[in-house]
């Protein structure tokens, strides 16, 4: 294995991925020469270019640096990719993102957050509390922290807060001092094959915790009793059997005030300016970690109140009395359930419309019944065609696979152009059939986020 400290020129294949871009920023911060390839230009790749990291979008050997000393690649890069094959055939050091992250964090104090959902928000909350309180950390996030408009930052303290991704078993490269497991619902079955095999990987991840370390896991996880760690704590929104839970929860139009109970310690009147009860559950895990690190009560509370969220995690696009427009990355049935439940809990009188873009053919095929059941919670649903990401189409698997299983009569599949036209034809918040306004939700992990601003502009012109 190459010694990362000796590397001066790094090239990224798939630099626009959220985890890859954090690593690119890490190397740039440490004075290395960094460049990359991705298949499409995005706001994130534009930002990287503005930060001095060149990015190109053609699979073109002439644009690929021949003097790169390390090639970092994402598992999503097709094996027939010309540049990838060139580097492979010419014996360049080729490492997956997870291998590089494992090497970077090998000797640091690591807080690693895993789970099939919730991990990005918890990771960002932990890193934000450590930064805001001036405790300090190095952060490798799976989303853009709104407070800092970045997914990476650095600090002289040798503490790393890392999103531990279960895809492709990446998180098994990490060595946590503190580990979080937020959920173990079936996902990535294209990689794992069975739910049991995926759960086995989480059990193995818990086994990576260093001696004296701690596991903080969601209370009631499937096979939770199989998770072994030197020290263990459980957390839950409001189940008092858990070691960590919230109490005295009050709602105030998108803001929550609550207490956090951690065994023999209590933090009162915590203010969270973020929607969704699931985000209270996320933040109590982060609060427990901060308390364990010795951060003072007042600093924890100030940090939580100042937290502005993660881009595309229950992100308010419009929020007024007639229309509330929320954008979210939810792409698994349980994430959608938390999103819709949370939104309706806060804005229950409004007509709830969900615009959802399914992500991956395999996930749609494997979880179509669950998606249909959750989407039926909305008053109205519009599905976009499946976003394929790294996959080729599967015959017979389309967004209609979900639509046909839904019981809701107010449902349809539209392409992007049709969807924008449909939004133009909607009456707007004050004249919806409930008379109480419109709760509009866009959700999905594909490129539905490119429609958020166009939809916002249409609504604001009404």
């Amino acid at each position: 294995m190459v010694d990362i400290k000796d590397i001066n020129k790094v090239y990224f294949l798939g630099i626009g991925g959220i985890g890859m871009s954090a690593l690119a920023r890490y190397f740039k911060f440490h004075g290395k020469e960094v460049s990359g390839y991705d298949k499409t230009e995005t706001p994130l790749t534009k930002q990287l270019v503005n930060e001095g990291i060149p990015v190109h979008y053609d699979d073109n050997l002439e644009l690929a640096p021949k003097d790169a000393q390390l090639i970092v690649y994402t598992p999503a890069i097709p094996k027939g990719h010309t540049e990838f094959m060139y580097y492979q055939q010419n014996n360049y050091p080729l490492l997956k993102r997870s291998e590089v992250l494992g090497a970077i964090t090998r000797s640091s104090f690591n807080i690693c957050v895993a789970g099939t959902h919730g991990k990005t928000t918890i990771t960002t909350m932990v890193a934000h509390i450590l930064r805001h309180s001036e405790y300090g950390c190095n952060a490798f996030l799976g989303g853009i922290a709104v407070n800092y408009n970045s997914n990476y930052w650095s600090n002289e303290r040798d503490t790393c807060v890392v999103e531990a991704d279960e895809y492709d078993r990446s998180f098994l490269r990490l060595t946590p001092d503190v580990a979080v497991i937020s959920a173990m619902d079936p996902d990535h079955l294209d990689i794992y094959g069975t739910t049991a095999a995926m759960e086995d990987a989480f059990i193995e991840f818990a086994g990576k915790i260093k001696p004296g370390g701690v596991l903080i896991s969601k209370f009631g996880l499937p096979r939770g009793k199989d998770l072994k760690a030197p020290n263990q704590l459980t957390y839950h929104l409001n189940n008092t059997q858990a070691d960590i839970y919230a109490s005295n929860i009050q709602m105030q139009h998108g803001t929550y005030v609550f207490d956090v109970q951690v065994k023999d310690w209590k933090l009162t009147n915590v203010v969270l300016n973020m929607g969704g009860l699931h985000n209270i559950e996320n933040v109590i895990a982060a609060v427990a970690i901060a308390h364990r690190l010795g951060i003072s009560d007042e600093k924890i509370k100030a940090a939580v109140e100042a937290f502005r969220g993660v881009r595309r995690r229950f992100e308010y696009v419009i929020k007024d009395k007639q229309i509330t427009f929320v954008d979210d990355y939810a792409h698994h049935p349980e994430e959608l359930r938390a999103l819709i439940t949370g939104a309706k809990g806060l804005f229950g009188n409004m007509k709830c419309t969900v615009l959802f873009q399914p992500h991956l053919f395999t996930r749609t095929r494997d979880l179509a019944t669950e998606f249909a059941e959750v989407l039926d919670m909305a008053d109205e649903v519009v599905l976009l065609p499946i976003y394929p990401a790294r996959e080729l189409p599967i015959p017979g698997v389309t967004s209609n696979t979900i639509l046909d299983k839904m019981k809701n009569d107010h449902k349809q599949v539209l392409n992007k152009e049709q969807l924008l036209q449909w939004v133009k034809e909607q009456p707007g918040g004050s004249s919806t059939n409930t008379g109480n306004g419109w709760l509009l939700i866009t959700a999905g992990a594909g490129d539905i986020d490119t429609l958020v601003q166009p939809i916002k502009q249409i609504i604001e012109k009404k």
Side-chain angles (χ1 to χ4, degrees), residues 343-357:
K344 290 182 80 169
L346 287 166
F347 310 103
N349 293 328
M350 292 180 162
K351 176 186 176 183
C352 176
T353 301
V354 176
L355 314 179
F356 177 59
Q357 181 187 46

Side-chain angles (χ1 to χ4, degrees), residues 67 196 242 270 312 316 345 405 414:
D67 56 346
V270 179
R312 303 210 66 229
Y316 289 115
K405 291 176 179 288
L414 301 175

Side-chain angles (χ1 to χ4, degrees), residues 172-456:
L172 299 181
R173 304 271 182 187
L174 300 170
T175 49
D177 293 271
V178 178
V180 177
I181 298 179
S182 60
M184 289 164 54
D185 295 304
D187 201 5
H188 302 303
L189 298 184
D190 54 322
I191 298 292
Y192 288 103
T194 65
T195 301
M198 191 206 71
E199 291 168 352
D200 287 342
F202 278 97
I203 291 163
E204 188 177 345
F205 169 71
K208 300 279 182 183
I209 296 172
K210 295 175 192 171
V214 63
L215 171 66
I216 299 175
S217 60
K218 170 78 180 284
F219 181 81
L221 284 178
R223 297 179 66 192
K225 289 177 181 163
D226 295 336
L227 297 169
K228 306 297 181 197
N231 301 286
Q232 294 195 49
L233 293 169
T234 58
Y235 73 97
H236 192 277
L237 174 64
N238 52 15
N239 190 323
T240 57
Q241 289 182 271
D243 299 310
I244 308 157
Y245 58 89
S247 59
N248 301 323
I249 299 169
Q250 301 164 54
M251 282 189 288
Q252 299 165 3
H253 195 72
T255 292
Y256 297 106
V257 182
F258 54 93
D259 300 338
V260 182
Q261 186 71 52
V262 184
K263 288 201 164 182
D264 55 355
W265 172 76
K266 190 173 187 177
L267 189 64
T268 58
N269 295 318
V270 179
V271 177
L272 178 64
N273 294 301
M274 192 178 183
L277 286 171
H278 59 291
N279 284 317
I280 297 180
E281 187 171 74
N282 290 334
V283 85
I284 64 174
V287 164
I289 292 168
H291 173 65
R292 191 174 180 88
L293 294 177
I295 298 172
S296 74
D297 293 11
E298 292 312 309
K299 283 188 174 182
I300 293 173
K301 285 169 67 170
V304 173
E305 188 165 0
F307 185 61
R308 292 172 54 203
V310 185
R311 186 101 0 106
R312 303 210 66 229
R313 301 309 196 276
F314 212 103
E315 184 176 7
Y316 289 115
V317 183
I318 300 172
K319 188 179 172 190
D320 62 37
K321 289 182 179 176
Q322 293 305 328
I323 295 181
T324 295
F325 178 11
V326 173
D327 180 45
D328 198 278
Y329 188 72
H331 57 285
H332 183 280
E334 290 309 312
E335 291 171 341
L336 272 178
R337 188 187 305 280
L339 170 63
I340 297 169
T341 302
K344 290 182 80 169
L346 287 166
F347 310 103
N349 293 328
M350 292 180 162
K351 176 186 176 183
C352 176
T353 301
V354 176
L355 314 179
F356 177 59
Q357 181 187 46
H359 183 260
L360 300 180
F361 293 99
T362 52
R363 186 180 284 125
T364 303
R365 177 197 65 200
D366 295 339
L367 301 172
T369 302
E370 291 84 352
F371 276 121
E373 177 199 327
V374 172
L375 289 167
D376 276 336
M377 294 164 61
D379 298 309
E380 178 179 44
V381 175
V382 178
L383 295 175
L384 284 162
I386 295 170
Y387 184 79
R390 55 189 177 266
E391 294 184 340
L392 295 172
I394 297 173
V397 179
T398 67
S399 292
N400 284 93
T401 308
I402 295 171
L403 196 82
D404 293 345
K405 291 176 179 288
M406 289 177 61
K407 294 172 183 170
N408 192 330
D409 292 332
H410 304 286
K411 59 183 181 181
Q412 56 184 320
V413 176
L414 301 175
N415 63 32
K416 291 178 186 175
E417 294 74 21
Q418 292 168 329
L419 175 62
L420 293 177
Q421 184 58 39
W422 177 86
V423 174
K424 286 178 186 174
E425 293 165 2
Q426 298 311 296
S430 58
S431 52
T432 57
N433 58 11
T434 65
N436 294 317
W438 193 21
L439 169 60
L440 179 65
I441 299 171
T442 46
D447 61 0
I448 190 171
D449 60 315
T450 61
L451 298 179
V452 170
Q453 288 307 310
I455 290 170
K456 181 185 180 187

Side-chain angles (χ1 to χ4, degrees), residues 2-16:
V2 292
D3 189 338
I4 284 172
K5 290 179 184 146
D6 298 335
I7 298 295
N8 292 311
K9 188 160 186 176
V10 190
Y11 183 60
F12 284 79
L13 286 170
I15 197 168

Side-chain angles (χ1 to χ4, degrees), residues 93-139:
L94 271 160
L95 293 178
K96 287 184 185 178
R97 178 184 68 88
S98 58
E99 294 174 299
V100 177
L101 193 54
I104 289 169
T105 60
R106 192 159 290 136
S107 59
S108 53
F109 182 92
N110 301 320
I111 302 164
C112 304
V113 183
T116 44
H117 42 263
K119 61 180 174 287
T120 299
T121 303
I122 297 172
T123 310
T124 309
M125 285 172 166
V126 171
H128 163 74
I129 294 172
L130 269 54
R131 177 168 173 168
H132 189 276
S133 67
E134 299 183 337
Y135 180 93
C137 69
N138 300 278

